[in-house]
């Protein structure tokens, strides 16, 4: 994890240095990305997304490998959302590169009762995968308004700490949470349309890899490694640039 954090720090420093070199070589106002601004200039931004999630307790994207069902997420997941903020420089005529930080909550998560395969009733709370993220992002404007975007970085997942109960509220003797080293990663791609230089809308796909949430048998102390909770989300997204 220390190596991953160091790599992210080096990447962030590299991205921060790119606009300075670009500004020296070309400060003219032109290009498809933020066309009224010069290369090397930048903007603070905030963004948000909301969409449908899908995932797998084995760490892949859904137990059904044949495709993504927008109306029903695998494992009972439903609606997720996220918020992001950061700063992006105009690194080239058509390219923006930046740093970001934010939070995501990927909806309800349900596990299966291992004895009869029925949904486990977690009663007061249904702990979805959620957590904080920090990373880098890029935005390429192929024309003055149409763009392709990508981002990725470090993801700190919640530990999903709770006890499980069956459908009639009986304690079935399993719990999870408290696992150290919950840091992992996220990545995503998207495309959309800039209505103007301050506001854009689009469609994104993001994947959050997480190992948090191992299930423990309270009676024996045995730990199951099957519950990874890695989750993908297809979203509508919006961004405002200051």
């Amino acid at each position: 994890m220390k190596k991953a954090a160091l790599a992210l720090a080096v990447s962030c420093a590299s991205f921060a240095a790119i606009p300075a070199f670009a500004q020296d070589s070309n400060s003219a106002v032109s290009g498809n990305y933020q066309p009224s601004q010069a290369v090397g200039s930048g903007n603070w931004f905030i963004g948000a997304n909301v969409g449908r999630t899908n995932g797998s307790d084995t760490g892949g994207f859904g137990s059904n490998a044949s495709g993504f069902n927008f109306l029903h997420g695998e494992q009972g997941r439903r609606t997720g959302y996220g918020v992001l903020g950061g700063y992006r420089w105009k690194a080239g005529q058509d390219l923006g590169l930046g740093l970001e930080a934010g939070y995501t909550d990927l909806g309800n998560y349900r596990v299966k009762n291992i004895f009869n395969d029925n949904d486990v009733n977690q009663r007061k709370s249904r702990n979805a995968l959620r957590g904080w993220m920090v990373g880098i992002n890029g935005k390429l404007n192929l024309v003055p308004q149409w763009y392709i975007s990508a981002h990725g970085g470090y993801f700190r997942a919640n530990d999903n700490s709770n006890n499980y109960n069956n459908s009639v509220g009986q304690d079935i003797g399993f719990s999870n949470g408290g696992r150290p080293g919950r840091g992992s990663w996220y990545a995503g791609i998207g495309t959309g349309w800039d209505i103007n230089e301050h506001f854009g809308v689009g469609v994104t796909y993001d994947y959050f890899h997480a190992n948090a949430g191992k299930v423990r048998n309270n009676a024996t102390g045995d730990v199951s490694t099957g519950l990874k909770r890695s989750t993908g989300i297809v979203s509508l997204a919006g961004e405002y640039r200051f």
Side-chain angles (χ1 to χ4, degrees), residues 54 60-70 72 74:
N54 205 355
F61 181 63
S63 60
N64 179 6
S66 63
F68 178 84
N69 185 341
F70 187 80
H72 176 71
E74 297 293 332

Side-chain angles (χ1 to χ4, degrees), residues 53-143:
T53 67
N54 205 355
S56 169
D57 59 5
T58 59
F61 181 63
S63 60
N64 179 6
S66 63
F68 178 84
N69 185 341
F70 187 80
L71 298 178
H72 176 71
E74 297 293 332
Q75 311 297 333
R77 294 180 175 92
R78 293 181 175 82
T79 301
Y81 69 90
V83 290
L84 275 173
Y87 194 86
R88 188 183 299 118
W89 292 268
K90 184 171 181 175
Q93 300 291 346
D94 305 323
L95 177 66
L97 296 173
L99 308 176
E100 66 184 23
Y103 179 81
T104 190
D105 187 325
L106 297 170
N108 293 321
Y109 181 79
R110 296 178 182 177
V111 296
K112 298 291 186 179
N113 185 319
I114 62 172
F115 301 108
N116 57 24
D117 207 40
N118 290 330
D119 287 340
V120 172
N121 181 5
Q122 297 183 37
R123 303 172 76 178
K124 294 182 179 180
S125 64
R126 299 189 186 279
N127 286 320
L129 180 62
R130 60 189 186 278
W132 298 93
M133 50 188 170
V134 60
I136 57 179
N137 63 77
K139 190 167 179 283
L140 176 66
N141 280 68
L142 302 178
V143 298

Side-chain angles (χ1 to χ4, degrees), residues 33-37 43 194-200 241-242:
Y33 176 77
Q34 299 293 98
S36 70
Q37 295 182 203
N43 306 86
D194 285 330
I195 297 173
N196 53 48
E197 289 194 33
H198 293 288
F199 183 67
R241 297 172 291 275
F242 296 93

Side-chain angles (χ1 to χ4, degrees), residues 171-202:
D171 189 342
I172 61 175
F174 288 84
S175 63
N176 73 325
R179 178 181 182 273
R182 301 192 306 272
S184 193
W185 56 270
Y186 73 96
I189 57 174
T191 186
W193 194 259
D194 285 330
I195 297 173
N196 53 48
E197 289 194 33
H198 293 288
F199 183 67
V201 294

Side-chain angles (χ1 to χ4, degrees), residues 148-173:
I148 296 173
S149 64
H151 69 161
Y154 175 81
F155 177 57
R156 176 70 174 178
N158 64 306
D159 66 1
N160 198 33
S161 181
N162 56 267
N163 296 319
Y164 294 123
N165 301 272
N166 63 18
S167 59
V168 294
Q170 297 171 321
D171 189 342
I172 61 175

